[in-house]
Amino acid sequence: MANEKPTTTTLPRTPDKSERSGVLLSFAALAIDTSDKGTSAAVGLAQDVRSELRTATDTAIDAVESLVRGLFRVGKRTTARVDEFAADLIGAGERTAAGVFKGLRDTTRAAGELATTAAGAIIGSDRPAAQA
């Protein structure tokens, strides 16, 4: 048994004071590291939430802006159509008034000619019409 390895037995030993403080320091370091990572995760999550809220707010503002732009475009088109209608209405009123006044002039002239003809027939004017 020359090739056999010598066996060593390790006896349990009690940790001395410096090793116990090392375990306590290890637990403290673990707690600090865990707290640090937790804090970093919480801050990262807060940044993600802030970013998403910003995106949602910008999208909502863009939607309201588009809606308002659309309302202004509809308002402008409505104004143009009402103006066109008013212009057509005023033009039609002007043509109607001109037609009425022309008709009144023609009627007045025809009535005058009829009165002159009737008066001439009743009076029997043999004298020639005055010439200028």
Side-chain angles (χ1 to χ4, degrees), residues 53-132:
L53 286 174
R54 170 69 188 266
T55 302
T57 302
D58 285 345
T59 302
I61 290 172
D62 289 342
V64 169
E65 181 183 20
S66 295
L67 178 66
V68 169
R69 263 195 211 137
L71 290 174
F72 276 112
R73 282 193 301 267
V74 168
K76 285 181 177 183
R77 282 187 294 221
T78 301
T79 301
R81 287 182 178 162
V82 166
D83 181 58
E84 184 180 327
F85 174 71
D88 289 346
L89 189 62
I90 290 171
E94 182 181 16
R95 286 188 300 276
T96 301
V100 166
F101 290 127
K102 182 179 184 291
L104 287 174
R105 280 190 198 98
D106 291 345
T107 302
T108 303
R109 187 175 310 117
E113 290 173 1
L114 180 62
T116 303
T117 303
I122 293 175
I123 297 177
S125 171
D126 288 336
R127 62 188 153 125
Q131 299 204 359

